[in-house]
Amino acid sequence: MITSDEGDGDVQPLWLSDRPAPVELWAQIQTEHTTSGLWPLLLDSPDSDGGDFRPWGSGEIFPEQMSSPASHDPAGLLAQWWAAHTAVDEDDLLPAAERLAVTAPFGQSWPGLAPSRETATNADQLAGEYAQAFLTDRPQSRLGLVIAASGAEALTAAGWAGPCNYDDDTAKFSAVIADWEHRFGTRVVAVGFSTLHISVAAPPMNQEDALLVAAEHFAFCPDNIWQGSRPHTLAAYAERLTGAHNWDFWWD
């Protein structure tokens, strides 16, 4: 059990394995979630070779500081974040025209949510396959178990603070991911110090829908575009999202 180093020091929101996770174990535990109440997370760390395995093993988690995901409106959050990230001021390093070109064709206008997509793909089975692929790439990842109704809620229950440079209440991000679980069949699979990896059963399949999803991603995690692959534009990012069955986020 991992104890949070915040608050009274008696909150233990997370079980952490003491060794790397076997490739098949995530899917096995996720299948039993409806009866066990435990959501599995593959946990990554920037110092996976060290003893602390931050932030998990070091207790740098903050469950007591989080609100409830149910108290937040995901559509309102995304619109609010979009307005903040597309704002142009005199201290901006980029000229206004270049800043607005990043989010073309929308500029500063929030385009609204992308439509839901139905799919015959089994979201849980796809998530299990993605978990195995993730462990092939990051075999040092450990397994975390969190009492939570879903992967989205597990992030808040565990006290993960990856997006804290933008907002230190993870419940807001959980609210958005919970909405994605319904609209796109996403499943939270892996989490790092400031990274998030989710499987997607129903990704956008055309450029129009992909642009709307890309706008949601920009609002949710602007560093994906500002500091991702070139060119740093919504349109280029949308091309990479089309048909992609996993979404990766990182906050600088």
Side-chain angles (χ1 to χ4, degrees):
M1 290 294 296
I2 299 299
T3 302
S4 166
D5 67 1
E6 291 297 307
D8 297 328
D10 58 356
V11 176
Q12 296 181 308
L14 174 73
W15 285 269
L16 175 67
S17 67
D18 59 2
R19 64 191 67 187
V23 293
E24 73 282 355
L25 190 55
W26 188 95
Q28 292 176 1
I29 294 177
Q30 196 274 339
T31 300
E32 298 169 1
H33 170 256
T34 54
T35 53
S36 71
L38 296 171
W39 188 269
L41 296 172
L42 294 178
L43 301 178
D44 198 8
S45 170
D47 64 345
S48 55
D49 294 330
D52 287 342
F53 202 76
R54 300 178 64 211
W56 319 106
S58 58
E60 295 171 77
I61 48 180
F62 312 94
E64 295 168 286
Q65 297 183 7
M66 309 300 178
S67 63
S68 167
S71 64
H72 301 286
D73 170 44
L77 285 171
L78 288 169
Q80 176 186 334
W81 288 335
W82 174 273
H85 301 331
T86 58
V88 178
D89 59 50
E90 59 184 18
D91 296 326
D92 202 325
L93 297 177
L94 285 179
E98 291 185 35
R99 173 64 71 194
L100 295 178
V102 171
T103 51
F106 307 124
Q108 289 179 291
S109 300
W110 169 237
L113 299 181
S116 302
R117 290 198 68 252
E118 293 186 4
T119 179
T121 302
N122 184 305
D124 294 329
Q125 180 179 341
L126 181 73
E129 293 170 358
Y130 176 54
Q132 292 192 30
F134 184 87
L135 282 170
T136 299
D137 185 54
R138 301 287 292 175
Q140 71 276 20
S141 301
R142 299 191 197 178
L143 184 70
L145 298 177
V146 185
I147 297 174
S150 67
E153 294 187 16
L155 297 174
T156 297
W160 176 64
C164 65
N165 285 346
Y166 288 96
D167 197 305
D168 59 7
D169 187 358
T170 299
K172 297 177 182 178
F173 297 88
S174 289
V176 172
I177 299 168
D179 189 45
W180 289 346
E181 289 173 342
H182 295 297
R183 283 192 288 140
F184 306 115
T186 65
R187 298 290 185 269
V188 175
V189 172
V191 196
F193 197 98
S194 57
T195 57
L196 174 65
H197 309 274
I198 63 181
S199 65
V200 188
M205 300 304 292
N206 60 61
Q207 183 69 0
E208 181 180 0
D209 287 348
L211 272 172
L212 291 173
V213 174
E216 293 190 35
H217 284 205
F218 178 78
F220 182 81
C221 179
D223 289 334
N224 266 30
I225 294 172
W226 284 340
Q227 302 187 45
S229 301
R230 293 182 181 273
H232 303 308
T233 64
L234 207 66
Y237 183 77
E239 289 184 9
R240 298 192 291 273
L241 286 180
T242 305
H245 283 284
N246 62 278
W247 293 343
D248 303 308
F249 301 93
W250 66 283
W251 290 264
D252 190 4

